[in-house]
């Protein structure tokens, strides 16, 4: 049985994130910063602590310090045309220690204005790493086959990632094409029913789902390790 430290998110917290983004005002944010922490960031930290043991079983190398995992409300607008100061959504990531902005496989959980969800992805994956991933697929590496089977069985999730207009390997097996033609790759589940989010009842089901797609996460880790070493696995 789970401990009862995490009891869900509050509607008022999500409403406050939306209002803060609409106001787009530092004075408004400063006046409500502590309330945002209490209603959004604190429940996210409690969720992390609630599931840390289970996530550690998936990967003992996960960073499990909430302050290093939870998204910031303030956006970094230095390198984007969108100068909106604040986010209307929040998320946390379960990753191994990172080196700057390197690509790395992660699990994630997120809450947004109209939905919430979770999944796994290979974030900031550069073209050379994606090509490494394709080579694993083309030679039907055991870790890919395990990931492919796990994803096929986890019909709750959707494979995502921007695709190339033309197939990279048109002669490869048709069932592998959705994997081979991605510029980046991940699995996502999204839900628009908020009652489980607000009463906290989603946690057990989420953990079951995240365990089910662990072969996908470990496949991405194998690709990442191969890319770092310059080998093909």
């Amino acid at each position: 049985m789970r401990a009862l430290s995490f009891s869900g998110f509050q509607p008022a917290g999500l409403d406050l994130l939306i209002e803060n983004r609409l106001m787009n005002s530092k004075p408004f944010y400063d006046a409500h910063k502590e309330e945002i922490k209490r209603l959004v960031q604190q429940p996210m930290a409690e969720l992390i602590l609630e599931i840390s043991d289970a996530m550690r079983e998936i990967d003992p190398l996960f960073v499990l310090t909430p302050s290093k995992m939870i998204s910031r409300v303030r956006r970094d607008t230095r390198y984007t045309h969108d100068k909106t100061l604040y986010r209307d959504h929040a998320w946390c990531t379960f990753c191994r220690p990172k080196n700057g902005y390197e690509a790395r496989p992660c699990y994630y959980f997120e809450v947004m204005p109209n939905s919430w969800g979770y999944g796994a992805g290979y974030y900031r994956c550069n073209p050379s790493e994606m090509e490494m991933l394709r080579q694993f697929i083309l030679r039907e590496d055991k870790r890919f086959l395990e990931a492919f089977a796990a994803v096929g069985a986890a019909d709750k999730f959707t494979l995502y990632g921007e695709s190339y207009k033309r197939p990279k390997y048109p002669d490869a097996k048709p069932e592998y094409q959705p994997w081979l033609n991605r510029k980046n790759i991940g699995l996502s589940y999204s839900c628009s029913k908020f009652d489980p989010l607000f009463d906290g009842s989603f946690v057990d089901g989420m953990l079951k789902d995240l365990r089910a797609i662990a072969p996908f996460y470990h496949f991405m880790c194998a690709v990442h390790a191969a890319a770092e070493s310059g080998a093909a696995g």
Side-chain angles (χ1 to χ4, degrees):
M1 295 291 291
R2 292 191 290 111
L4 298 178
S5 57
F6 173 72
S7 57
F9 289 86
Q10 297 187 42
L14 304 190
D15 291 343
L16 184 55
L17 281 181
I18 295 171
E19 184 179 8
N20 184 60
R21 180 181 174 95
L22 290 173
M23 295 298 292
N24 200 37
S25 158
K26 187 176 185 302
F28 181 89
Y29 172 70
D30 288 344
H32 295 83
K33 182 187 299 185
E34 294 305 314
E35 191 176 6
I36 291 173
K37 288 181 179 178
R38 178 174 61 84
L39 294 176
V40 179
Q41 294 174 320
Q42 184 60 34
M44 190 73 79
E46 291 171 356
L47 174 63
I48 290 169
L49 295 175
E50 180 89 352
I51 67 175
S52 285
D53 287 345
M55 296 305 292
R56 190 179 288 111
E57 291 175 3
I58 294 175
D59 189 345
L61 299 180
F62 277 143
V63 173
L64 295 172
T65 305
S67 62
K68 297 181 179 180
M69 303 165 65
I70 299 173
S71 60
R72 296 180 179 179
V73 178
R74 179 69 161 87
R75 297 178 65 246
D76 184 349
T77 60
R78 292 175 297 173
Y79 309 111
T80 176
H81 293 298
D82 181 0
K83 300 303 180 183
T84 305
L85 296 175
Y86 304 101
R87 296 185 172 93
D88 59 4
H89 58 290
W91 71 87
C92 65
T93 55
F94 291 81
C95 308
R96 293 177 177 180
K98 62 180 180 178
N99 180 17
Y101 290 93
E102 67 174 352
R104 63 200 189 280
C106 292
Y107 277 95
Y108 74 89
F109 171 81
E110 63 183 352
V111 291
M112 296 175 288
N114 298 313
S115 65
W116 59 275
Y118 47 83
Y122 199 169
Y123 300 105
R124 299 191 180 97
C125 191
N126 62 46
S128 64
E129 288 168 299
M130 283 304 298
E131 185 55 35
M132 181 74 74
L133 180 143
R134 295 185 193 100
Q135 295 307 312
F136 273 65
I137 295 172
L138 291 171
R139 70 169 186 269
E140 296 189 313
D141 183 276
K142 178 178 181 291
R143 289 157 293 189
F144 163 67
L145 294 178
E146 291 172 349
F148 187 76
V151 172
D155 54 6
K156 179 183 274 189
F157 289 90
T158 300
L159 193 69
Y160 72 81
E162 184 182 359
S163 296
Y164 290 100
K165 293 181 179 179
R166 295 183 179 180
K168 299 287 286 185
Y169 293 93
D171 296 329
K173 291 182 178 181
E175 59 267 35
Y176 296 166
Q177 293 297 332
W179 295 62
L180 290 166
N181 294 325
R182 305 281 177 182
K183 297 180 181 179
N184 46 72
I185 195 165
L187 287 177
S188 66
Y189 164 71
S190 180
C191 182
S192 58
K193 297 179 179 179
F194 280 84
D195 286 349
L197 184 77
F198 295 149
D199 64 21
S201 62
F202 69 92
V203 174
D204 288 335
M206 179 179 72
L207 286 176
K208 180 180 178 180
D209 293 339
L210 297 184
R211 291 186 184 103
I213 63 170
F216 177 78
Y217 168 76
H218 290 300
F219 166 57
M220 293 188 295
C221 288
V223 172
H224 182 59
E228 283 192 319
S229 68

